[in-house]
């Protein structure tokens, strides 16, 4: 690669934005140059604008960067713009960036359901990025400038859920019924204002607005098939796959846990040992492509009966790997298991970085 690609982060002061900063600070492909946040932060040094809440120190390289307004003009030299914007404001900002010809990889939910926007968990469905390749190729054929585009990262709980589903579907055919009950970390609720300590200490909150609907819908897009003309994804129908989610907030800092049960359409169902073997042997395409952040072990199958646990297992493969434990037969469906994923790494900023690494490896940025 000639030189490093120039990167910017929108929403750089928030929960996801801070994680982007950590992941991009010493990245071999990307050089972090531009940071954007609200007008409350713009004009200040990053170190003064940000209430840093990560357990790793703020990298020195970003401390003196002056935070910009989230305007495309300020980011015009960026090869890639990562967005960790508050979804209440992300819509028009990301649209302006795309229309200015910029490549945006977004954590916000605003464009996930658009037909021409790939919804990507990079360890699961990187082939959906063909939609971007097709746009660029079409513009080239028509003699038009390289178009801007948005790629969306999934909801954080959905990212953890689909990771084990993908190799299972590839090996054993469709899953026609799935239930998941989540135990979600407080970092998932963001920092402004975030979950108050008085609400979450000694407590569980059995409601996360919009989360269950997102999990039930996004799973069907991520596991859907790319259309033959590579313009959109054919969503799984509710007849093909029924998904039911119940979402809870728990007093964990990082790492979403999910108790899932699933049923395969084909009979006879595989054995527990076959399921474990398929999960263990799964190597994601991003790793085969040689991407820097891709997990060497995509799915860690844990045999101890009290694992996975957020504090012990969330950082496997630097937070890009997903842990699955307690795989056993289910008396109602076929199997049940416990899945753990790092919500701000593979569930958010890390997925963004890995998507960008794939785009760079494919010369799409
Ligand atoms: N946390 C997680 O695990 C996940 C979050 N997401 C999504 O990622 C996005 C960011 O979430 P999170 O980091 O948790 O949120 P935070 O509340 O922690 O951060 C929000 C960011 O948006 C900025 N912002 C707020 N208002 C404006 C505005 N009017 N114009 C420009 N920037 C603004 C804030 O800047 P300032 O500091 O100046 O106010 C801050 O940088 C959301 O869309 C969320 O749904 C997705 C998956 C997982
Ligand atoms: N709702 C998730 C985080 C999030 O913001 O998700 P989304 O990007 O789908 O809105 C959580 O609370 O843990």
């Amino acid at each position: 690669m000639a030189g490093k690609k120039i990167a910017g982060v929108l929403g750089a002061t928030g929960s996801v934005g801070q994680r982007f900063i950590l992941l991009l600070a010493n990245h071999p492909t990307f050089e972090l140059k531009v940071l954007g946040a609200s007008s409350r932060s713009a004009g200040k040094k990053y170190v003064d604008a940000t209430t840093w809440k990560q357990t790793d120190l703020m990298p020195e390289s970003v401390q003196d960067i002056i935070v910009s307004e989230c305007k495309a003009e300020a980011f015009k030299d960026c090869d890639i713009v990562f967005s960790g914007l508050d979804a209440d404001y992300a819509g028009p900002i990301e649209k302006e960036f795309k229309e200015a010809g910029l490549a945006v990889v977004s954590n916000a939910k605003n464009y996930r359901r658009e037909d021409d926007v790939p919804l990507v968990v990079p360890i699961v469905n990187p082939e959906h990025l063909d939609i971007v390749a097709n746009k660029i190729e079409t513009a080239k054929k028509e003699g038009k400038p390289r178009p801007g585009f948005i790629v969306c990262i999934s909801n954080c709980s959905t990212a953890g859920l689909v990771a084990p589903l993908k190799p299972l579907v590839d090996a054993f055919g469709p899953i026609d019924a799935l239930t998941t009950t989540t135990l979600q970390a407080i970092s998932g609720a963001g920092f402004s204002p975030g979950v108050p300590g008085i609400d979450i200490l000694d407590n569980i909150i059995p409601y996360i607005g919009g989360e269950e609907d997102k999990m039930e819908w996004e799973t069907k897009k991520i596991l859907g098939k790319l259309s033959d003309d590579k313009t959109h994804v054919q969503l799984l129908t509710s007849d093909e796959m029924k998904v039911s989610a119940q979402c809870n907030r728990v007093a964990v800092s990082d790492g979403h846990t999910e108790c899932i049960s699933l049923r395969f359409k084909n009979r006879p169902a595989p054995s527990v040992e076959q399921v474990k073997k398929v999960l263990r042997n799964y190597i994601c395409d991003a790793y085969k492509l040689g991407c820097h952040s891709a997990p060497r072990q995509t799915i860690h199958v844990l045999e101890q009966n009290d694992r996975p646990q957020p504090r012990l297992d969330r950082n496997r493969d630097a937070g890009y790997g997903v842990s699955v434990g307690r795989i056993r037969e289910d008396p109602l469906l076929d199997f049940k298991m416990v899945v753990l994923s790092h919500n701000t790494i593979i569930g958010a900023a890390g997925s963004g970085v890995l998507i960008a690494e794939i785009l760079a490896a494919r010369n799409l940025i």
Side-chain angles (χ1 to χ4, degrees), residues 2-167:
K4 286 195 182 186
K5 305 258 179 215
I6 297 177
V9 175
L10 294 165
T13 52
S15 170
V16 171
Q18 293 183 19
R19 184 63 69 179
F20 271 125
I21 302 284
L22 285 174
L23 297 175
L24 291 167
N26 291 304
H27 196 281
T29 312
F30 304 113
E31 184 174 356
L32 193 48
K33 283 257 174 87
V34 197
L35 304 178
S38 77
S39 48
R40 294 179 292 277
S41 306
K44 295 180 187 164
K45 283 184 183 179
Y46 184 72
V47 67
D48 297 327
T50 306
T51 308
W52 188 257
K53 294 190 198 265
Q54 308 300 315
T55 47
D56 291 315
L57 295 178
M58 182 189 288
E60 278 185 23
S61 55
V62 297
Q63 295 187 8
D64 291 339
I65 294 180
I66 304 295
V67 177
S68 303
E69 296 277 357
C70 295
K71 299 275 182 226
E73 176 61 22
F75 289 73
K76 66 179 188 320
D77 295 330
C78 291
D79 298 296
I80 184 83
V81 178
F82 299 97
S83 171
L85 281 171
D86 184 328
D88 285 349
Y89 307 100
I93 296 173
E94 291 177 1
K95 184 164 182 272
E96 188 213 330
F97 276 55
K98 182 188 89 168
E99 286 172 356
L102 290 160
V104 179
V105 177
S106 175
N107 272 282
K109 65 183 176 192
N110 308 58
Y111 294 107
R112 289 179 191 157
R113 299 190 188 207
E114 296 293 310
D115 262 358
D116 69 338
V117 173
L119 178 60
V120 176
V121 178
I123 56 173
V124 172
N125 64 330
E127 71 280 6
H128 289 188
L129 293 172
D130 285 0
I131 293 174
V132 171
N134 180 56
K135 276 185 191 203
I136 293 173
E137 191 56 32
T138 306
K140 197 174 164 190
K141 275 189 200 142
E142 292 171 354
K144 293 181 181 159
R146 200 177 169 96
F149 59 85
I150 299 172
V151 174
C152 282
I153 302 159
S154 79
N155 164 268
C156 42
S157 308
T158 310
L161 174 67
V162 293
L165 300 188
K166 164 78 163 128

Side-chain angles (χ1 to χ4, degrees), residues 107 109 112 155-156 184-185 188-189 208 211 214 249 256:
N107 272 282
K109 65 183 176 192
R112 289 179 191 157
N155 164 268
C156 42
Q184 298 184 213
I208 301 175
E211 195 79 352
K214 280 185 273 186
R249 183 79 63 202
H256 287 356

Side-chain angles (χ1 to χ4, degrees), residues 137 150 160 166 172 174 246 263 284 303:
E137 191 56 32
I150 299 172
K166 164 78 163 128
F172 305 119
Q246 300 194 67
R263 183 179 65 204
C284 65
E303 293 291 356

Side-chain angles (χ1 to χ4, degrees), residues 44 64 74 86 98 138 153 177 201 211 237 248 293 309 328 334 346 355:
K44 295 180 187 164
D64 291 339
D86 184 328
K98 182 188 89 168
T138 306
I153 302 159
L201 271 177
E211 195 79 352
T237 65
N248 304 283
S293 307
Q309 295 179 22
R328 59 221 193 271
D334 287 337
I346 197 59
I355 288 169

Side-chain angles (χ1 to χ4, degrees), residues 227-274:
S227 64
D228 289 339
D229 63 1
K230 298 180 192 292
T231 57
H232 65 282
V233 167
Q234 292 154 342
L235 267 69
L236 296 176
T237 65
S238 299
D239 283 342
E240 289 170 309
M241 184 185 208
K242 289 194 170 46
V243 184
S244 169
Q246 300 194 67
C247 297
N248 304 283
R249 183 79 63 202
V250 298
V252 165
S253 58
D254 287 318
H256 287 356
T257 303
E258 304 183 39
C259 302
I260 76 175
S261 294
L262 58 89
R263 183 179 65 204
F264 291 100
K265 183 176 175 206
N266 298 335
R267 301 284 108 192
S271 68
V272 167
E273 281 316 309
Q274 285 172 314

